[in-house]
Amino acid sequence: LVVSELWTIWYGERGPLNEQRLRSIEETLGDPSQWEIAEQKYMELINEQCKSDGESKLNLCNWVEPANRLATLLYLMGRLKESKTWCDAILEAKPWHIGALSGIVMVCVQLRDEEGATKYIQMGLPNLSTEMRSARKAWVEKNVETATEQLLQLQSSNEIYEKISMAFSKEIVNTDDDSSSSWQ
């Protein structure tokens, strides 16, 4: 029950329309003949939701789930190095992403990368055993701190953007009213 609720939150992070788009891609994954089309649709969704205007670099902090699903699809297609690259990008954006951590461990095992598998296993959420309780608590606290820092950075960036936008729109209004502006 809790896991399905988490998936609903993760899938719906960018609104119900995008959640439906993501789920409709998922429905095609049972048919390997549809995988190339699914890959294209994931990339469309990622490019649409994770790129800023005029930027070529993706910002997966905007929404990692299409990238996570793409990484899974690439794994299923046997394109392990590409899957690993996507998992790394997801973990850069959200180091606590359990799905990407699990996926990258599976990729490393398939690539016979024992060092990588060990590294990513150690990054994962410790189990629920009594012995691991303090390690699990430390993992949660560390990742909550990381998420909080990312939110504060985003908030700061948004405030700067709003100030620049307001200043720019005031300049436009002023130039419309006064054609003798000093910069013309």
Side-chain angles (χ1 to χ4, degrees):
L1 180 66
V2 172
V3 173
S4 68
E5 289 178 18
L6 283 173
W7 281 113
T8 299
I9 291 168
W10 294 332
Y11 272 50
E13 197 171 9
R14 297 295 281 188
L17 178 61
N18 287 313
E19 177 184 1
Q20 181 54 43
R21 289 175 64 196
L22 189 56
R23 290 188 185 280
S24 71
I25 299 168
E26 292 292 303
E27 292 172 6
T28 67
L29 298 183
D31 180 0
S33 71
Q34 297 294 308
W35 286 356
E36 285 184 32
I37 294 167
E39 179 183 2
Q40 291 169 357
K41 288 181 179 182
Y42 281 135
M43 285 305 303
E44 288 172 11
L45 200 52
I46 291 166
N47 285 322
E48 182 182 300
Q49 297 297 318
C50 300
K51 274 190 180 176
S52 299
D53 291 335
E55 299 260 337
S56 60
K57 186 178 180 198
L58 294 174
N59 179 0
L60 292 182
C61 288
N62 289 345
W63 191 28
V64 298
E65 277 321 301
N68 185 52
R69 302 309 302 151
L70 175 61
T72 302
L73 176 60
L74 293 169
Y75 176 85
L76 293 172
M77 295 170 83
R79 293 163 52 189
L80 301 175
K81 290 181 181 178
E82 290 174 81
S83 177
K84 186 174 188 284
T85 299
W86 278 102
C87 287
D88 277 327
I90 294 162
L91 292 172
E92 184 178 323
K94 293 187 176 183
W96 57 85
H97 197 284
I98 295 167
L101 284 166
S102 174
I104 203 165
V105 168
M106 293 189 321
V107 168
C108 288
V109 167
Q110 289 295 316
L111 292 172
R112 299 187 186 338
D113 177 6
E114 189 176 319
E115 185 179 316
T118 301
K119 170 189 166 186
Y120 293 110
I121 287 170
Q122 291 173 348
M123 288 174 60
L125 178 63
N127 67 43
L128 286 169
S129 69
T130 306
E131 302 84 35
M132 298 302 292
R133 188 167 288 152
S134 63
R136 189 175 180 91
K137 182 179 178 186
W139 185 92
V140 169
E141 289 171 351
K142 178 186 83 170
N143 285 291
V144 166
E145 183 178 322
T146 300
T148 301
E149 289 170 7
Q150 287 181 350
L151 285 171
L152 290 173
Q153 287 174 347
L154 180 61
Q155 183 180 17
S156 176
S157 296
N158 285 341
E159 288 170 2
I160 292 168
Y161 175 78
E162 286 176 17
K163 287 178 184 176
I164 291 170
S165 294
M166 287 176 61
F168 184 70
S169 60
K170 284 179 183 177
E171 278 293 320
I172 291 173
V173 169
N174 288 339
T175 57
D176 288 345
D177 293 343
D178 181 11
S179 61
S180 63
S181 177
S182 61
W183 62 271
Q184 285 188 356

